[in-house]
Amino acid sequence: MRPRDPERSRAFYRDVLGLAVFREFPGGTVFFLGQGLLEVAAHGGDGSAPGSTSLYMQVRDVRAEFEVLRSRGVEVLREPKIEPWGLHEGWIRDPDGVRIVLVEIPADHPLRRDTRS
């Protein structure tokens, strides 16, 4: 990610969302993001976030996460709800307007079951 205000975005992902830091370098921070990484840096872009960009993050309890994030002043785009495909999803926005979808996978959802014979 190449945000307009890198320090504000680093603080958001570190302090508000609580992502752990993988490494830091001059002008940037790389966060752990599940089995991947998220780099927030001050170079390489103009800070424009296309409206079609979304970041999906799996959480254990989406409603509990929303309560915490709301108390931290995060902009809620859509309250968590059960989607037709069975996942619980709610939407927030980062400081540059990137939509972040928090996803909870219920215990009885096929993604949690071993469907191999």
Side-chain angles (χ1 to χ4, degrees), residues 13 17 19 33 55-59 92 100-104:
Y13 286 97
L17 292 185
L19 298 183
L33 192 62
L55 180 63
Y56 284 74
M57 299 175 66
Q58 184 178 336
V59 298
I92 61 173
I100 300 172
V101 181
L102 299 182
V103 180
E104 175 186 340

Side-chain angles (χ1 to χ4, degrees), residues 1 4 9-10 27 29-30 44 49 58 62 64 68 72-73 75 87-88 97 111:
M1 300 185 84
R4 288 185 292 271
S9 290
R10 281 193 289 272
T29 303
V30 179
Q58 184 178 336
V62 71
V68 170
R72 294 178 181 167
E75 180 182 359
L87 300 178
H88 299 225
L111 288 174

Side-chain angles (χ1 to χ4, degrees), residues 6-69:
E7 191 52 45
R8 178 184 67 179
S9 290
R10 281 193 289 272
F12 176 82
Y13 286 97
R14 180 191 60 229
D15 304 332
V16 177
L17 292 185
L19 298 183
V21 174
F22 171 66
R23 69 182 176 91
E24 295 180 290
F25 57 92
T29 303
V30 179
F31 296 97
F32 285 104
L33 192 62
Q35 296 296 321
L37 303 168
L38 172 68
E39 178 181 296
V40 177
H43 55 80
D46 64 1
S48 60
S52 62
T53 299
S54 296
L55 180 63
Y56 284 74
M57 299 175 66
Q58 184 178 336
V59 298
R60 293 179 189 267
D61 184 336
V62 71
R63 294 196 184 282
E65 290 297 328
F66 262 69
E67 291 306 313
V68 170
L69 295 172

